[in-house]
Amino acid sequence: QVQLVESGGGLAQAGGSLRLSCAASGFTFSSYAMGWFRQAPGKEREFVVGISRSGGDTVYSDSVKGRFTISRDNPKNTVYLQMNSLKPEDTADYYCAARGSALVPMQKQLYKYWGRGTQVTVSS
């Protein structure tokens, strides 16, 4: 059974940091590109950042570039999202997703597996 379980969300102040984790099981993690998406209330789910199967390539949305860092630990079947310099507009539910390809797409419809999300709230 495929599972993606996010953790690490919570409340942070503007300028603060949070680290999200996504633990994967039920598929060959190292064969999948991984992405983080977020969805704010009343808005569509949007791409945040993605990482290739080996971790050698990353893709960042302009809104988080320079503040967020994605990484993965293939032996631990886990992908991480380090979020620094948080802003109130980063408030959203954050989801990790997996795609069985070498590429790191930004389109959410190209991802096969999804977690249930973790909530991040940034206060001003």
Side-chain angles (χ1 to χ4, degrees):
Q1 182 182 1
V2 171
Q3 278 194 311
L4 292 172
V5 180
E6 301 94 337
S7 62
L11 177 65
Q13 290 190 329
S17 299
L18 284 173
R19 189 193 195 206
L20 306 184
S21 300
C22 173
S25 60
F27 63 100
T28 305
F29 180 74
S30 59
S31 296
Y32 281 70
M34 299 297 296
W36 283 98
F37 290 76
R38 66 186 181 187
Q39 188 167 16
K43 295 189 177 181
E44 287 196 12
R45 191 170 299 188
E46 64 175 1
F47 176 83
V48 176
V49 59
I51 189 167
S52 63
R53 295 179 295 193
S54 68
D57 293 308
T58 55
V59 179
Y60 289 87
S61 67
D62 289 342
S63 61
V64 306
K65 200 173 295 183
R67 301 188 298 121
F68 291 10
T69 303
I70 190 172
S71 62
R72 66 188 296 162
D73 186 335
N74 283 349
K76 293 185 177 180
N77 289 353
T78 303
V79 61
Y80 304 97
L81 180 62
Q82 179 66 43
M83 304 187 296
N84 298 331
S85 302
L86 284 164
K87 303 176 180 180
E89 51 264 43
D90 294 319
T91 295
D93 292 326
Y94 283 72
Y95 300 86
C96 69
R99 170 171 167 83
S101 76
L103 299 177
V104 185
M106 299 176 70
Q107 299 90 338
K108 57 183 180 289
Q109 59 268 31
L110 296 180
Y111 285 79
K112 184 175 182 179
Y113 302 129
W114 288 85
R116 291 190 170 187
T118 186
Q119 189 173 50
V120 171
T121 303
V122 183
S123 63
S124 57

